[in-house]
Amino acid sequence: MIKDIDVVLSTRIRFARNIKDYPFASRLDATSCREIIEKVEAVLCGFEKTDLTDTDPLKAQCYVEAHRISPEFAVSSLPHALLEKGDTRVMVCEEDHIRLQVIKRGFELDSAFAEACVSDDALLSGLRIAYDEELGFLTHCPTNLGNAMRASVMMFLPALAMTGELKGIVSQLSKLGFTIRGIYGEGSEAQGYLYQISNSETMGLTEEATVSRLGDVVTQIIGHERNARERIKAAGVKAYDPLCRAFGVLKYSCTMTSKEFIGLYAKVRLGVAIGVVNEIGYETLDSLFTAVMPCTLAEGERLSEAQRDKKRAEVIKEKLT
Amino acid sequence: MLCSKCHKNEASVYFKQNINGEVREYALCPQCAAEAELGFAPLNLFGSMLTQAKPKTDHKRCTLCSSDFSEIKKRGKVGCAQCYSVFAEELKPMIESIHRGAKHNGRAPEGYSEKRKAQNELEALKNELRAAIESEEYERAAKLRDLIREKEADND
């Protein structure tokens, strides 16, 4: 049983670290990048390395769609590599030399933080990490100074969005030092009622305090979302009929754009959550999300938009049958 | 959604153009958006925060990454970790403004963490001493004072 999977899709903890004596990414050369990759690899035991330096852009985009790397990392022109072990992924030579992140399904802030600390301890003891007593970890962008940690939770909040309650929550979040944004990172519009909530402050609070405050806020939002869902269900058949119909369209369509998919995905997921769609679980539904993304779908082939939409519908049908 | 220009990368810049009622919608990847000259320059808030700051010596350069302050202002990002000490004075107002004057409190590399731990212990003892004096527990206060002196000597 994955904790709070009806509201929280995933939890992520990310640390940014840089090695002393090397310039930051914007002034780094290829030789230094390779040296940094070697050094990081040497201190992290049991990690599997994927060198992404000359990877085909379409393949790199698949990694982005699966949330294994950031979009910026995918298009880097300098040598860069990904180190992976379980839920821990380390991007080497991203905006910062090291971007260590742990992503877990469901609401798992404490265990994700604990796991990130294990790999971070290895980095902090094995490498000369750029650090200042007052400024904390020295990062390429001054906004990340301090603990250089981003703790974030990907939430599915359809009921709060539909009832208009989300607006009030958003304004309170920013006052409390949290940011809320749409699915593919900064600036993008919220899609499929998926929202990422993360800490915006990195200076002054310890990592534990940041994680605990985010945990408190998320727990409260989970409660509000569930209440709002109950109200939708209680409103009767007219309110939840569109959710059941969405499942039918999702399963039996012969062609589907990614925009349409996301809309249907959200409706079906809400249907599963309030118990009116019983033919499918979160695991299958959420795995579809990555499987039907444009590059993952194309499997390295160059497909036209029409071909892609047709293949998307086929993949969905196969998974739901 | 894939970029409508190169059809390779994921689009992340969406915009609508309305020229005399003729509306066009675009979805571009960051590279194509940069090449397309959309008529707006990328927002560099940090750089603009630094425009007020003037370097003390005009030709000061970081010895590690060779950045000068005008380049840092342009990018809104420093060139290397050493820049934070080379341009400490120039960067200070911006860093204080972003982080509201707060100081780091949290994880630290080995060596630093020991030092930080010792400092925290010392701070706690000093608080205890203040409390002991306030409650007129002078014997306990004297013991705490000696302990603080001992710890301070160790830290030095």
Side-chain angles (χ1 to χ4, degrees):
Chain A
M1 185 73 183
I2 297 166
K3 195 170 172 273
D4 300 314
I5 190 71
D6 58 325
V7 189
V8 178
L9 272 86
S10 62
T11 303
R12 186 182 73 147
I13 296 286
R14 190 208 72 196
F15 290 131
R17 303 286 183 250
N18 288 282
I19 303 178
K20 256 184 206 173
D21 312 323
Y22 285 100
F24 289 149
S26 61
R27 302 188 84 85
L28 212 51
D29 59 32
T31 315
S32 303
C33 286
R34 286 194 197 95
E35 282 173 22
I36 291 171
I37 294 169
E38 262 179 45
K39 285 186 178 190
V40 177
E41 208 185 344
V43 296
L44 292 176
C45 296
F47 277 72
E48 196 177 316
K49 183 174 108 174
T50 312
D51 192 330
L52 294 166
T53 312
D54 298 312
T55 308
D56 173 57
L58 281 177
K59 200 173 172 193
Q61 193 57 38
C62 289
Y63 287 142
V64 176
E65 290 175 357
H67 295 281
R68 285 171 71 188
I69 60 172
S70 64
E72 298 77 21
F73 196 59
V75 294
S76 167
S77 53
L78 285 165
H80 57 296
L82 172 70
L83 300 170
E84 293 174 290
K85 182 182 173 186
D87 294 325
T88 308
R89 297 196 174 95
V90 184
M91 290 183 275
V92 192
C93 298
E94 214 249 20
E95 178 184 305
D96 291 293
H97 297 154
I98 305 164
R99 285 277 173 102
L100 179 146
Q101 58 181 26
V102 173
I103 303 179
K104 287 188 173 286
R105 260 171 70 71
F107 187 28
E108 290 291 347
L109 270 172
D110 291 336
S111 61
F113 175 66
E115 219 166 296
C117 286
V118 171
S119 302
D120 190 40
D121 284 342
L123 296 173
L124 297 184
S125 60
L127 297 168
R128 281 164 53 82
I129 296 293
Y131 177 82
D132 175 272
E133 284 280 15
E134 286 196 357
L135 298 177
F137 291 97
L138 301 176
T139 50
H140 198 184
C141 186
T143 50
N144 293 326
L145 287 169
N147 60 34
M149 181 187 78
R150 206 60 72 187
S152 59
V153 173
M154 182 66 83
M155 302 191 81
F156 176 58
L157 304 173
L160 288 177
M162 285 173 186
T163 56
E165 288 167 72
L166 193 58
K167 223 176 170 186
I169 292 174
V170 170
S171 67
Q172 287 182 55
L173 279 173
S174 64
K175 285 179 200 149
L176 291 168
F178 297 103
T179 306
I180 179 161
R181 57 171 87 96
I183 186 169
Y184 279 117
E186 283 161 16
S188 63
E189 215 181 323
Q191 288 177 305
Y193 303 115
L194 295 170
Y195 302 89
Q196 189 190 53
I197 297 175
S198 60
N199 62 308
S200 49
E201 286 167 10
T202 52
M203 188 79 87
L205 274 179
T206 62
E207 295 82 357
E208 287 85 354
T210 305
V211 165
S212 147
R213 285 184 59 186
L214 178 63
D216 290 345
V217 164
V218 169
T219 305
Q220 287 188 51
I221 298 176
I222 292 173
H224 279 281
E225 170 66 22
R226 286 186 182 143
N227 286 341
R229 288 177 185 180
E230 282 306 315
R231 289 202 297 277
I232 291 177
K233 197 178 178 186
V237 69
K238 270 201 170 170
Y240 61 74
D241 179 60
L243 313 179
C244 302
R245 282 169 183 263
F247 181 68
V249 177
L250 188 67
K251 190 171 174 180
Y252 294 107
S253 291
C254 298
T255 175
M256 190 174 294
T257 64
S258 80
K259 198 176 170 188
E260 188 186 5
F261 165 75
I262 291 169
L264 292 168
Y265 160 86
K267 281 183 178 163
V268 173
R269 205 176 197 284
L270 179 59
V272 174
I274 63 174
V276 295
V277 176
N278 302 306
E279 296 89 336
I280 185 175
Y282 296 115
E283 183 86 45
T284 314
L285 197 54
D286 292 343
S287 72
L288 265 183
F289 206 91
T290 305
V292 304
M293 285 288 141
C295 287
T296 310
L297 199 62
E299 292 174 311
E301 278 179 74
R302 299 229 172 256
L303 299 180
S304 70
E305 216 164 307
Q307 286 171 317
R308 221 170 38 224
D309 292 348
K310 191 167 165 275
K311 194 168 177 196
R312 181 174 293 115
E314 284 165 9
V315 168
I316 295 168
K317 203 176 281 183
E318 198 188 305
K319 286 239 182 194
L320 298 188
T321 309
Chain B
M1 184 190 282
L2 279 187
C3 171
S4 51
K5 196 174 168 213
C6 68
H7 304 288
K8 282 184 198 161
N9 304 320
E10 185 70 14
S12 61
V13 179
Y14 301 89
F15 74 102
K16 253 186 200 176
Q17 192 180 52
N18 184 338
I19 300 175
N20 297 332
E22 192 188 331
V23 181
R24 283 186 186 173
E25 286 188 34
Y26 297 89
L28 301 173
C29 68
Q31 293 102 303
C32 290
E35 285 164 18
E37 293 178 6
L38 303 177
F40 47 82
L43 194 58
N44 178 2
L45 285 177
F46 305 123
S48 64
M49 281 171 103
L50 289 170
T51 49
Q52 307 294 328
K54 287 201 172 89
K56 273 201 153 180
T57 42
D58 287 334
H59 303 295
K60 187 160 70 173
R61 273 187 185 276
C62 174
T63 51
L64 177 62
C65 69
S66 73
S67 290
D68 67 13
F69 194 63
S70 65
E71 289 165 323
I72 295 176
K73 275 200 288 194
K74 207 170 144 193
R75 278 197 309 261
K77 288 177 180 175
V78 299
C80 69
Q82 193 180 284
C83 288
Y84 282 110
S85 51
V86 175
F87 302 104
E89 217 169 302
E90 294 87 344
L91 291 167
K92 200 178 169 198
M94 178 199 63
I95 292 173
E96 283 188 348
S97 152
I98 296 173
H99 298 288
R100 296 181 219 163
K103 304 260 182 291
H104 174 56
N105 176 19
R107 294 173 69 78
E110 248 177 34
Y112 286 104
S113 46
E114 292 303 311
K115 205 171 154 189
R116 180 174 290 278
K117 208 172 141 194
Q119 274 172 349
N120 289 347
E121 275 175 10
L122 198 59
E123 205 53 47
L125 283 175
K126 283 180 182 171
N127 287 337
E128 234 178 288
L129 175 63
R130 271 191 289 273
I133 293 170
E134 272 170 30
S135 56
E136 299 181 358
E137 295 173 69
Y138 297 115
E139 207 173 318
R140 194 167 147 253
K143 276 184 191 165
L144 285 165
R145 182 202 58 204
D146 293 344
L147 195 60
I148 289 168
R149 279 186 189 155
E150 215 174 280
K151 293 245 176 206
E152 275 176 338
D154 283 352
N155 287 358
D156 290 341

